[in-house]
Coordinates of all heavy atoms in Angstrom, one line a residue:
M1228 N 43.1 -22.9 24.9 CA 43.6 -22.2 23.8 C 42.5 -21.5 23.1 O 41.6 -22.1 22.6 CB 44.3 -23.1 22.8 CG 45.0 -22.5 21.7 SD 46.3 -23.6 21.3 CE 46.1 -23.7 19.6
A1229 N 42.5 -20.1 23.2 CA 41.4 -19.4 22.6 C 41.7 -18.9 21.2 O 42.8 -18.4 21.0 CB 41.1 -18.2 23.5
Y1230 N 40.8 -19.1 20.3 CA 40.9 -18.6 19.0 C 40.1 -17.4 18.8 O 39.0 -17.3 19.3 CB 40.4 -19.7 18.0 CG 41.3 -20.9 17.9 CD1 40.9 -22.1 18.6 CD2 42.5 -20.9 17.2 CE1 41.7 -23.2 18.5 CE2 43.3 -22.0 17.2 CZ 42.9 -23.2 17.8 OH 43.7 -24.3 17.7
N1231 N 40.6 -16.5 18.0 CA 39.9 -15.2 17.7 C 39.2 -15.5 16.4 O 39.7 -15.2 15.3 CB 40.8 -14.0 17.6 CG 41.4 -13.6 18.9 OD1 40.8 -13.9 19.9 ND2 42.6 -13.0 18.9
R1232 N 38.0 -16.0 16.5 CA 37.2 -16.3 15.3 C 36.2 -15.2 15.2 O 35.7 -14.6 16.1 CB 36.4 -17.6 15.5 CG 37.2 -18.8 15.4 CD 36.4 -20.0 15.4 NE 37.1 -21.2 15.6 CZ 36.6 -22.4 15.6 NH1 35.3 -22.6 15.5 NH2 37.4 -23.5 15.8
R1233 N 35.8 -15.0 13.9 CA 34.7 -14.1 13.7 C 33.4 -14.7 14.1 O 33.3 -15.9 13.9 CB 34.6 -13.8 12.2 CG 35.7 -12.8 11.7 CD 35.4 -12.5 10.2 NE 36.3 -11.5 9.7 CZ 36.5 -11.3 8.5 NH1 35.8 -12.0 7.6 NH2 37.3 -10.4 8.1
P1234 N 32.5 -13.9 14.6 CA 31.2 -14.6 14.9 C 30.5 -14.9 13.6 O 30.5 -14.1 12.6 CB 30.5 -13.5 15.7 CG 31.2 -12.2 15.4 CD 32.6 -12.6 15.1
T1235 N 29.9 -16.1 13.5 CA 29.3 -16.5 12.3 C 28.0 -15.8 12.2 O 27.2 -15.7 13.1 CB 29.0 -18.0 12.3 OG1 28.2 -18.3 13.5 CG2 30.3 -18.8 12.3
R1236 N 27.7 -15.2 11.0 CA 26.6 -14.4 10.8 C 25.5 -15.3 10.1 O 25.9 -16.0 9.2 CB 26.9 -13.2 9.9 CG 26.0 -12.1 10.1 CD 26.3 -10.9 9.2 NE 27.7 -10.6 9.1 CZ 28.2 -9.7 8.2 NH1 27.4 -9.2 7.3 NH2 29.4 -9.5 8.1
R1237 N 24.3 -15.2 10.5 CA 23.2 -15.9 9.8 C 22.9 -15.3 8.5 O 22.7 -14.1 8.4 CB 22.0 -15.9 10.7 CG 20.8 -16.7 10.2 CD 19.6 -16.7 11.1 NE 19.1 -15.4 11.2 CZ 18.1 -14.9 10.4 NH1 17.6 -15.7 9.5 NH2 17.6 -13.7 10.6
V1238 N 22.9 -16.2 7.5 CA 22.6 -15.7 6.1 C 21.1 -15.4 6.0 O 20.3 -16.2 6.3 CB 23.0 -16.7 5.1 CG1 22.7 -16.3 3.7 CG2 24.5 -17.0 5.2
K1239 N 20.8 -14.1 5.6 CA 19.4 -13.8 5.5 C 18.9 -14.2 4.1 O 19.5 -14.0 3.1 CB 19.3 -12.2 5.6 CG 19.6 -11.7 7.0 CD 19.5 -10.2 7.0 CE 19.9 -9.7 8.4 NZ 19.8 -8.3 8.5
K1240 N 17.7 -14.8 4.2 CA 17.1 -15.2 2.9 C 16.1 -14.1 2.4 O 15.5 -13.4 3.2 CB 16.2 -16.4 3.2 CG 17.0 -17.6 3.6 CD 17.9 -18.1 2.5 CE 18.7 -19.4 3.0 NZ 19.6 -19.9 2.0
C1241 N 16.0 -14.0 1.1 CA 15.1 -13.0 0.5 C 13.7 -13.4 0.7 O 13.3 -14.4 0.3 CB 15.5 -12.9 -1.0 SG 14.4 -11.6 -1.8
K1242 N 13.0 -12.5 1.4 CA 11.6 -12.8 1.7 C 10.7 -12.8 0.4 O 9.8 -13.6 0.3 CB 11.0 -11.7 2.7 CG 9.6 -11.9 3.2 CD 9.3 -11.0 4.3 CE 9.1 -9.6 3.8 NZ 8.5 -8.7 4.8
L1243 N 11.1 -12.0 -0.5 CA 10.4 -11.9 -1.7 C 10.6 -13.1 -2.6 O 9.7 -13.5 -3.4 CB 10.7 -10.6 -2.5 CG 10.4 -9.3 -1.7 CD1 11.0 -8.1 -2.3 CD2 8.9 -9.1 -1.5
C1244 N 11.8 -13.7 -2.6 CA 12.0 -14.9 -3.3 C 11.2 -16.0 -2.8 O 10.8 -16.8 -3.5 CB 13.5 -15.2 -3.3 SG 14.5 -14.3 -4.4
S1245 N 11.1 -16.1 -1.5 CA 10.4 -17.2 -0.9 C 8.9 -17.1 -1.2 O 8.2 -18.1 -1.2 CB 10.6 -17.2 0.7 OG 10.2 -16.0 1.2
M1246 N 8.4 -15.8 -1.3 CA 7.0 -15.6 -1.7 C 6.8 -15.7 -3.2 O 5.7 -15.6 -3.7 CB 6.6 -14.2 -1.3 CG 6.5 -14.1 0.2 SD 6.2 -12.4 0.9 CE 5.5 -11.5 -0.4
K1247 N 7.9 -15.9 -4.0 CA 7.9 -16.0 -5.5 C 7.2 -14.8 -6.1 O 6.4 -14.9 -7.0 CB 7.2 -17.3 -5.9 CG 7.9 -18.6 -5.5 CD 7.2 -19.8 -6.1 CE 8.1 -21.0 -5.9 NZ 8.1 -21.6 -4.6
V1248 N 7.7 -13.6 -5.7 CA 7.2 -12.4 -6.2 C 8.0 -12.1 -7.6 O 9.2 -12.1 -7.6 CB 7.5 -11.2 -5.2 CG1 7.2 -9.9 -5.9 CG2 6.7 -11.4 -4.0
E1249 N 7.2 -11.8 -8.6 CA 7.8 -11.5 -9.9 C 7.9 -10.0 -10.2 O 8.8 -9.5 -10.8 CB 6.9 -12.1 -11.0 CG 6.9 -13.6 -11.1 CD 8.2 -14.2 -11.4 OE1 8.9 -13.6 -12.3 OE2 8.6 -15.2 -10.8
Y1250 N 6.9 -9.3 -9.6 CA 6.9 -7.8 -9.8 C 6.4 -7.1 -8.6 O 5.4 -7.6 -7.9 CB 6.0 -7.5 -11.0 CG 5.8 -6.0 -11.2 CD1 6.8 -5.2 -11.8 CD2 4.6 -5.3 -10.9 CE1 6.7 -3.9 -12.0 CE2 4.4 -4.0 -11.2 CZ 5.5 -3.3 -11.7 OH 5.3 -1.9 -11.9
I1251 N 7.0 -6.0 -8.2 CA 6.5 -5.3 -7.0 C 5.8 -4.0 -7.5 O 6.4 -3.2 -8.2 CB 7.7 -4.9 -6.1 CG1 8.4 -6.2 -5.6 CG2 7.3 -4.1 -4.9 CD1 9.7 -5.9 -4.9
D1252 N 4.6 -3.9 -7.2 CA 3.7 -2.8 -7.7 C 3.9 -1.6 -6.7 O 3.9 -1.8 -5.5 CB 2.3 -3.2 -7.7 CG 1.4 -2.2 -8.5 OD1 2.0 -1.5 -9.3 OD2 0.2 -2.3 -8.3
Y1253 N 4.0 -0.4 -7.3 CA 4.2 0.8 -6.5 C 3.0 1.1 -5.7 O 3.0 1.9 -4.7 CB 4.6 2.0 -7.3 CG 3.6 2.5 -8.3 CD1 2.7 3.5 -7.9 CD2 3.4 2.0 -9.6 CE1 1.8 4.0 -8.7 CE2 2.4 2.4 -10.4 CZ 1.6 3.5 -10.0 OH 0.6 3.9 -10.8
K1254 N 1.8 0.6 -6.1 CA 0.6 0.9 -5.3 C 0.4 0.0 -4.1 O -0.5 0.3 -3.2 CB -0.6 0.7 -6.3 CG -0.7 1.7 -7.4 CD -1.8 1.4 -8.4 CE -1.3 0.3 -9.2 NZ -1.9 0.2 -10.6
N1255 N 1.3 -1.0 -3.9 CA 1.2 -1.9 -2.7 C 2.0 -1.2 -1.6 O 3.1 -1.6 -1.3 CB 1.8 -3.3 -3.1 CG 1.5 -4.3 -2.0 OD1 1.0 -4.0 -1.0 ND2 1.9 -5.5 -2.3
V1256 N 1.4 -0.2 -1.0 CA 2.1 0.6 0.0 C 2.4 -0.2 1.3 O 3.4 0.0 1.9 CB 1.3 1.9 0.3 CG1 2.0 2.7 1.4 CG2 1.1 2.7 -0.9
D1257 N 1.6 -1.2 1.6 CA 1.8 -2.0 2.8 C 3.1 -2.8 2.7 O 3.8 -2.9 3.7 CB 0.6 -2.9 3.1 CG -0.7 -2.1 3.4 OD1 -0.6 -1.0 4.0 OD2 -1.8 -2.6 3.1
L1258 N 3.4 -3.3 1.5 CA 4.6 -4.0 1.3 C 5.8 -3.1 1.3 O 6.8 -3.4 1.9 CB 4.5 -4.8 0.0 CG 5.8 -5.6 -0.4 CD1 6.0 -6.8 0.5 CD2 5.7 -6.0 -1.8
L1259 N 5.6 -1.9 0.7 CA 6.8 -1.0 0.6 C 7.2 -0.4 1.9 O 8.3 0.0 2.1 CB 6.4 0.1 -0.5 CG 6.2 -0.4 -1.9 CD1 5.9 0.7 -2.8 CD2 7.5 -1.1 -2.4
K1260 N 6.2 -0.3 2.8 CA 6.5 0.3 4.1 C 7.5 -0.6 4.9 O 8.1 -0.1 5.8 CB 5.2 0.6 4.9 CG 4.5 1.8 4.5 CD 3.3 2.1 5.4 CE 2.6 3.3 4.9 NZ 1.4 3.6 5.7
D1261 N 7.5 -1.8 4.6 CA 8.5 -2.7 5.3 C 9.9 -2.4 4.9 O 10.8 -2.8 5.6 CB 8.2 -4.2 5.0 CG 6.8 -4.6 5.5 OD1 6.3 -4.0 6.5 OD2 6.3 -5.6 5.0
Y1262 N 10.1 -1.8 3.8 CA 11.5 -1.5 3.3 C 11.9 -0.1 3.4 O 12.9 0.3 2.8 CB 11.5 -2.0 1.8 CG 11.3 -3.5 1.7 CD1 10.1 -3.9 1.2 CD2 12.3 -4.3 2.1 CE1 9.8 -5.3 1.2 CE2 12.1 -5.7 2.0 CZ 10.8 -6.2 1.6 OH 10.6 -7.5 1.5
I1263 N 11.2 0.8 4.2 CA 11.7 2.1 4.5 C 11.7 2.3 6.0 O 10.9 1.6 6.7 CB 10.8 3.2 3.8 CG1 9.4 3.1 4.3 CG2 10.9 3.2 2.3 CD1 8.5 4.3 3.8
N1264 N 12.6 3.1 6.5 CA 12.7 3.2 7.9 C 11.8 4.4 8.4 O 11.1 5.0 7.6 CB 14.2 3.4 8.4 CG 14.8 4.7 7.8 OD1 14.1 5.6 7.2 ND2 16.1 4.9 8.0
E1265 N 11.9 4.7 9.7 CA 11.0 5.8 10.2 C 11.2 7.1 9.7 O 10.4 8.0 9.7 CB 11.0 5.8 11.7 CG 12.4 6.1 12.3 CD 13.3 5.0 12.4 OE1 12.9 3.8 12.1 OE2 14.5 5.2 12.8
K1266 N 12.4 7.4 9.1 CA 12.7 8.7 8.5 C 12.4 8.7 7.0 O 12.5 9.7 6.4 CB 14.2 9.0 8.7 CG 14.6 9.3 10.1 CD 16.0 9.7 10.2 CE 16.4 10.0 11.6 NZ 17.7 10.5 11.7
G1267 N 11.9 7.6 6.5 CA 11.6 7.5 5.0 C 12.6 7.1 4.1 O 12.5 7.2 2.9
K1268 N 13.8 6.6 4.7 CA 14.9 6.2 3.8 C 14.7 4.7 3.5 O 14.1 3.9 4.2 CB 16.2 6.4 4.5 CG 16.6 7.8 4.8 CD 18.0 7.8 5.4 CE 18.5 9.2 5.5 NZ 19.9 9.3 6.0
I1269 N 15.2 4.3 2.3 CA 15.2 2.9 1.9 C 16.2 2.1 2.6 O 17.4 2.5 2.7 CB 15.4 2.8 0.4 CG1 14.4 3.6 -0.4 CG2 15.4 1.4 -0.1 CD1 14.6 3.7 -1.9
I1270 N 15.8 1.0 3.2 CA 16.7 0.2 4.0 C 17.6 -0.6 3.0 O 17.1 -1.2 2.0 CB 15.9 -0.8 4.9 CG1 15.0 0.0 5.8 CG2 16.8 -1.7 5.6 CD1 14.1 -0.8 6.7
P1271 N 18.9 -0.6 3.2 CA 19.8 -1.3 2.3 C 19.6 -2.8 2.4 O 19.1 -3.4 3.4 CB 21.2 -0.9 2.8 CG 21.0 -0.4 4.2 CD 19.6 0.1 4.3
K1272 N 20.0 -3.5 1.3 CA 19.8 -4.9 1.2 C 20.6 -5.7 2.2 O 20.2 -6.8 2.6 CB 20.0 -5.4 -0.2 CG 21.5 -5.6 -0.6 CD 21.5 -6.2 -2.0 CE 22.9 -6.8 -2.2 NZ 22.9 -7.8 -3.2
R1273 N 21.7 -5.2 2.7 CA 22.4 -6.0 3.7 C 21.7 -6.0 5.0 O 22.0 -6.9 5.8 CB 23.8 -5.4 3.9 CG 23.9 -4.0 4.6 CD 25.3 -3.5 4.8 NE 25.3 -2.3 5.5 CZ 25.2 -1.1 5.0 NH1 25.1 -1.0 3.7 NH2 25.1 0.0 5.7
L1274 N 20.8 -5.1 5.2 CA 20.0 -5.1 6.5 C 18.7 -5.9 6.3 O 18.3 -6.6 7.3 CB 19.7 -3.7 6.9 CG 20.9 -2.9 7.3 CD1 20.5 -1.5 7.8 CD2 21.7 -3.6 8.5
N1275 N 18.0 -5.7 5.2 CA 16.7 -6.4 5.1 C 16.8 -7.8 4.4 O 15.9 -8.5 4.4 CB 15.7 -5.5 4.3 CG 16.1 -5.2 2.9 OD1 16.8 -5.9 2.3 ND2 15.6 -4.1 2.4
G1276 N 17.9 -8.1 3.9 CA 18.1 -9.5 3.3 C 17.6 -9.7 2.0 O 17.5 -10.9 1.5
N1277 N 17.3 -8.7 1.2 CA 16.8 -8.9 -0.1 C 17.9 -9.3 -1.1 O 19.1 -9.0 -0.9 CB 16.2 -7.6 -0.7 CG 14.8 -7.4 -0.2 OD1 14.2 -8.2 0.3 ND2 14.3 -6.2 -0.4
C1278 N 17.6 -10.0 -2.1 CA 18.5 -10.3 -3.2 C 18.6 -9.0 -4.1 O 17.8 -8.1 -4.0 CB 18.1 -11.5 -4.0 SG 16.6 -11.3 -4.9
S1279 N 19.6 -9.0 -4.9 CA 19.8 -7.8 -5.7 C 18.7 -7.5 -6.6 O 18.3 -6.3 -6.8 CB 21.1 -8.0 -6.6 OG 22.2 -8.1 -5.8
K1280 N 18.1 -8.5 -7.2 CA 17.0 -8.3 -8.2 C 15.8 -7.7 -7.5 O 15.2 -6.7 -8.0 CB 16.6 -9.7 -8.8 CG 15.4 -9.7 -9.6 CD 15.1 -11.1 -10.1 CE 13.7 -11.4 -10.3 NZ 13.4 -12.8 -10.6
H1281 N 15.4 -8.2 -6.3 CA 14.3 -7.7 -5.6 C 14.6 -6.4 -5.0 O 13.7 -5.5 -4.8 CB 13.8 -8.7 -4.6 CG 13.0 -9.8 -5.2 ND1 13.5 -11.1 -5.2 CD2 11.9 -9.9 -5.9 CE1 12.6 -11.9 -5.8 NE2 11.7 -11.2 -6.3
Q1282 N 15.8 -6.1 -4.6 CA 16.1 -4.8 -4.0 C 16.0 -3.7 -5.1 O 15.5 -2.6 -4.8 CB 17.6 -4.8 -3.4 CG 17.9 -3.5 -2.8 CD 17.2 -3.2 -1.5 OE1 16.6 -4.1 -0.9 NE2 17.2 -2.0 -1.0
R1283 N 16.4 -4.0 -6.3 CA 16.2 -3.0 -7.4 C 14.7 -2.8 -7.6 O 14.3 -1.6 -7.9 CB 16.8 -3.5 -8.7 CG 18.3 -3.4 -8.7 CD 18.9 -3.6 -10.0 NE 18.6 -4.9 -10.6 CZ 19.4 -6.0 -10.4 NH1 20.5 -5.9 -9.7 NH2 19.0 -7.2 -10.9
M1284 N 13.9 -3.9 -7.6 CA 12.4 -3.7 -7.8 C 11.8 -2.9 -6.6 O 11.0 -2.0 -6.9 CB 11.7 -5.1 -7.8 CG 11.9 -5.8 -9.0 SD 10.9 -7.3 -8.9 CE 11.5 -8.2 -10.3
V1285 N 12.3 -3.1 -5.4 CA 11.8 -2.3 -4.3 C 12.2 -0.9 -4.4 O 11.4 0.0 -4.2 CB 12.4 -2.9 -3.0 CG1 12.2 -2.0 -1.8 CG2 11.7 -4.2 -2.6
K1286 N 13.4 -0.6 -4.8 CA 13.9 0.7 -5.0 C 13.0 1.5 -6.0 O 12.6 2.6 -5.7 CB 15.3 0.7 -5.5 CG 15.9 2.1 -5.7 CD 17.3 2.0 -6.4 CE 17.1 1.5 -7.8 NZ 18.3 1.7 -8.6
T1287 N 12.8 0.9 -7.2 CA 12.0 1.6 -8.2 C 10.6 1.8 -7.8 O 10.0 2.8 -8.0 CB 12.1 0.9 -9.6 OG1 11.7 -0.5 -9.4 CG2 13.5 0.9 -10.1
A1288 N 10.0 0.8 -7.1 CA 8.6 0.9 -6.7 C 8.5 2.0 -5.6 O 7.5 2.7 -5.6 CB 8.1 -0.4 -6.1
I1289 N 9.4 2.1 -4.7 CA 9.4 3.2 -3.7 C 9.5 4.5 -4.3 O 8.8 5.4 -4.0 CB 10.5 2.9 -2.6 CG1 10.1 1.7 -1.7 CG2 10.7 4.2 -1.7 CD1 11.2 1.3 -0.7
K1290 N 10.4 4.6 -5.3 CA 10.6 5.9 -6.0 C 9.3 6.3 -6.7 O 9.0 7.5 -6.8 CB 11.8 5.9 -6.8 CG 13.1 5.9 -6.1 CD 14.3 5.9 -7.0 CE 15.6 6.0 -6.1 NZ 16.8 6.1 -7.0
R1291 N 8.7 5.3 -7.4 CA 7.5 5.6 -8.1 C 6.3 6.0 -7.1 O 5.6 6.9 -7.4 CB 7.0 4.4 -8.9 CG 7.9 4.3 -10.1 CD 7.5 3.0 -10.9 NE 8.4 2.8 -12.0 CZ 8.4 1.7 -12.7 NH1 7.7 0.6 -12.4 NH2 9.3 1.6 -13.8
A1292 N 6.3 5.3 -6.0 CA 5.2 5.6 -5.0 C 5.4 7.0 -4.4 O 4.5 7.7 -4.1 CB 5.2 4.6 -3.9
R1293 N 6.7 7.4 -4.3 CA 7.0 8.8 -3.8 C 6.5 9.8 -4.8 O 6.0 10.9 -4.4 CB 8.5 9.0 -3.5 CG 8.9 8.2 -2.3 CD 10.4 8.4 -2.1 NE 10.9 7.8 -0.9 CZ 12.2 7.6 -0.6 NH1 13.1 7.8 -1.5 NH2 12.6 7.1 0.5
Q1294 N 6.8 9.6 -6.1 CA 6.3 10.5 -7.1 C 4.8 10.6 -7.2 O 4.3 11.7 -7.5 CB 6.9 10.1 -8.5 CG 8.4 10.2 -8.6 CD 8.8 11.7 -8.6 OE1 8.1 12.6 -9.2 NE2 9.9 12.0 -8.0
M1295 N 4.1 9.5 -6.9 CA 2.7 9.6 -6.9 C 2.1 10.0 -5.6 O 0.9 9.9 -5.4 CB 2.1 8.2 -7.3 CG 2.6 7.7 -8.6 SD 2.0 8.7 -10.0 CE 0.3 8.3 -10.0
A1296 N 2.9 10.4 -4.6 CA 2.5 10.9 -3.3 C 1.9 9.8 -2.5 O 1.0 10.1 -1.6 CB 1.6 12.1 -3.4
L1297 N 2.2 8.5 -2.7 CA 1.7 7.4 -1.9 C 2.6 7.2 -0.6 O 2.2 6.7 0.4 CB 1.6 6.1 -2.7 CG 0.7 6.2 -3.9 CD1 0.8 4.9 -4.7 CD2 -0.7 6.5 -3.4
L1298 N 3.9 7.5 -0.8 CA 4.9 7.4 0.3 C 5.6 8.8 0.4 O 5.7 9.5 -0.5 CB 5.9 6.4 0.0 CG 5.5 4.9 0.1 CD1 6.7 4.0 -0.4 CD2 5.1 4.5 1.5
P1299 N 6.0 9.1 1.7 CA 6.6 10.4 1.9 C 8.1 10.3 1.4 O 8.7 9.3 1.5 CB 6.5 10.6 3.4 CG 6.5 9.3 3.9 CD 5.7 8.4 2.9
F1300 N 8.7 11.4 1.0 CA 10.1 11.5 0.7 C 10.9 11.5 2.0 O 11.9 10.8 2.2 CB 10.4 12.8 -0.1 CG 10.1 12.7 -1.5 CD1 8.9 13.1 -2.0 CD2 11.0 12.1 -2.4 CE1 8.6 13.0 -3.3 CE2 10.7 12.0 -3.8 CZ 9.5 12.4 -4.2
V1301 N 10.4 12.3 3.0 CA 11.0 12.3 4.3 C 9.9 12.4 5.3 O 8.8 12.9 5.0 CB 12.0 13.5 4.6 CG1 13.2 13.3 3.7 CG2 11.3 14.8 4.3
S1302 N 10.1 11.9 6.5 CA 9.1 12.1 7.6 C 9.9 12.7 8.8 O 10.9 12.2 9.2 CB 8.4 10.8 8.0 OG 9.4 9.9 8.5
E1303 N 9.5 13.9 9.2 CA 10.2 14.6 10.2 C 9.7 14.4 11.6 O 8.7 14.0 11.8 CB 10.2 16.1 9.9 CG 10.8 16.4 8.6 CD 10.7 17.9 8.2 OE1 10.4 18.7 9.1 OE2 10.8 18.2 7.0

């Protein structure tokens, strides 16, 4: 008897919570590059596993780094 079950998805843990990060600095480009894809877009939290608090911090830090020309807006 076969059941049509949904495949169980592994719950992603927030990497920044495990590192106990309080603030994400826009000058830390090495950390921010982990959260943008090859086209320069911000990776959504459902893909990278961030919690809401840290995803908002990542978003504002990436936007500030783009304004300061530390990160590209787009990469073609």
Side-chain angles (χ1 to χ4, degrees):
M1228 187 153 130
Y1230 290 103
N1231 290 334
R1232 291 187 189 179
R1233 283 186 177 164
T1235 57
R1236 208 182 315 168
R1237 184 178 64 92
V1238 178
K1239 295 180 182 177
K1240 298 290 182 183
C1241 180
K1242 185 170 72 170
L1243 299 170
C1244 281
S1245 62
M1246 292 172 20
K1247 294 187 169 78
V1248 173
E1249 294 293 322
Y1250 176 73
I1251 300 171
D1252 195 17
Y1253 70 92
K1254 294 173 281 205
N1255 192 355
V1256 179
D1257 295 329
L1258 176 71
L1259 296 178
K1260 281 186 180 179
D1261 294 338
Y1262 296 104
I1263 60 173
N1264 65 7
E1265 63 275 355
K1266 292 185 177 183
K1268 292 184 172 184
I1269 300 173
I1270 299 174
K1272 75 175 202 158
R1273 71 176 184 274
L1274 295 180
N1275 62 25
N1277 280 348
C1278 64
S1279 297
K1280 173 181 150 185
H1281 284 116
Q1282 184 67 18
R1283 285 191 301 271
M1284 284 186 195
V1285 166
K1286 177 189 71 167
T1287 56
I1289 288 174
K1290 288 183 177 184
R1291 286 176 182 167
R1293 285 175 175 168
Q1294 289 292 321
M1295 300 297 287
L1297 299 174
L1298 287 176
F1300 282 94
V1301 292
S1302 61
E1303 298 175 20

